[in-house]
């Protein structure tokens, strides 16, 4: 199975959640996208569920000298999440990563302000919160997102992705109340391999999508 693009993947995923909604298992939902790639996927879900759409900005913490290799993540005011095995292999400690964590948190705040344009963050307490990304590889950013949302007191926390690795799903079982996905391939290397079009989104595209969702 491959998806043409993130929009098609979002529609495939939405079909599974709409069925849950019809069964009364998705009460008072709010959809939170992990930008940037999760935004078009989440937009399709929010439309299908007639639910509000917002973002939950999570910043990957990259390995020193190779920032593309994610060894942790940070969101909101929550403590950073690290892949302990990766830290051990690279002979790193959370204390040694403090400067990078502070830099990523500052960028996180900048993007929150940019994407929301002054809108307040949504109220999550007592609601069904659906966290959406375009895929799960290691799951480290999704773990940080789930813990930040859990601290807000949702009634039910659901993680929804079009494609995921079995390792990530196993690692996240205790973080979300429910994980919904379209495809879990037996051999998973990267999220992008399951999309024909996996181009990087721009901030402007994220802003336009969120503005349209809020009637702008």
């Amino acid at each position: 199975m491959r998806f043409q693009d993130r929009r098609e993947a979002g529609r495939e995923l939405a079909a599974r959640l709409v069925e849950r909604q019809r069964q009364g298992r998705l009460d008072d939902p709010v959809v939170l996208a992990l930008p940037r790639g999760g935004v078009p996927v989440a937009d399709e879900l929010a439309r299908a569920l007639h639910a509000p759409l917002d973002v939950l900005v999570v910043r990957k913490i990259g390995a020193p000298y190779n920032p593309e290799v994610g060894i942790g993540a940070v969101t909101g005011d929550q403590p950073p999440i690290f892949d302990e095995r990766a830290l051990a292999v690279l002979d790193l400690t959370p204390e040694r990563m403090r400067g990078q964590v502070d830099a990523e948190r500052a960028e996180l705040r900048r993007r929150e302000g940019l994407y929301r344009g002054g809108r307040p963050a949504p109220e999550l307490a007592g609601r069904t919160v659906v966290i959406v990304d375009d895929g799960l590889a290691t799951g480290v950013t999704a773990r940080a997102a789930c813990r930040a949302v859990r601290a807000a007191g949702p009634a039910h926390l659901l993680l929804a992705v079009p494609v995921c690795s079995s390792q990530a799903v196993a690692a996240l079982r205790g973080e979300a109340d429910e994980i919904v996905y379209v495809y879990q391939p037996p051999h998973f290397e990267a999220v992008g391999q399951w999309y024909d079009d996996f181009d990087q989104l721009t901030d402007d595209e994220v802003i336009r999508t969120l503005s349209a969702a809020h009637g702008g």
Side-chain angles (χ1 to χ4, degrees):
M1 174 180 285
R2 288 175 63 85
F3 303 107
Q4 179 180 344
D5 55 21
R6 292 179 178 90
R7 289 281 175 185
E8 182 189 63
R11 290 189 291 271
E12 292 275 353
L13 187 57
R16 286 155 172 77
L17 296 185
V18 166
E19 183 58 31
R20 282 169 168 74
Q21 191 176 51
R22 287 173 181 159
Q23 296 169 356
R25 297 164 54 197
L26 214 64
D27 186 48
D28 192 22
V30 56
V31 178
L32 297 182
L34 301 190
R36 301 182 181 114
V39 172
V41 182
D43 189 39
E44 295 293 336
L45 263 68
R47 291 171 184 270
L49 298 173
H50 305 287
L53 171 68
D54 212 301
V55 289
L56 178 59
V57 182
V58 181
R59 292 294 297 171
K60 178 176 69 176
I61 301 169
Y65 313 113
N66 192 354
E68 291 305 311
V69 177
I71 60 172
V74 63
T75 187
D77 295 319
Q78 297 297 306
I81 303 296
F82 286 103
D83 182 329
E84 297 297 337
R85 287 183 297 179
L87 289 181
V89 167
L90 296 171
D91 192 26
L92 294 170
T93 64
E95 290 73 24
R96 289 179 61 187
M97 298 298 296
R98 188 172 299 164
Q100 192 167 343
V101 170
D102 290 344
E104 293 298 348
R105 203 184 294 275
E107 175 62 13
L108 182 154
R109 296 302 188 199
R110 185 193 73 82
R111 291 198 184 200
E112 284 180 335
L114 180 67
Y115 294 157
R116 289 207 174 101
R119 292 188 303 271
E123 178 59 51
L124 305 180
R127 304 186 70 175
T128 297
V129 180
V130 184
I131 299 174
V132 183
D133 205 354
D134 53 15
L136 287 177
T138 65
V140 66
T141 54
R143 181 180 294 112
C146 286
R147 291 187 182 180
V149 169
R150 186 72 76 187
H156 189 74
L157 174 54
L158 190 152
L159 177 61
V161 293
V163 62
C164 57
S165 70
S166 59
Q167 292 89 345
V169 170
L172 291 165
R173 286 293 184 196
E175 305 289 350
D177 297 316
E178 191 175 1
I179 301 174
V180 178
Y181 54 85
V182 177
Y183 187 43
Q184 186 183 105
H187 304 290
F188 188 103
E189 294 180 7
V191 173
Q193 76 184 104
W194 306 103
Y195 288 84
D196 292 331
D197 178 0
F198 198 67
D199 288 346
Q200 179 75 280
L201 273 75
T202 66
D203 284 340
D204 284 345
E205 289 174 301
V206 171
I207 293 166
R208 285 198 300 270
T209 299
L210 292 173
S211 179
H214 287 267

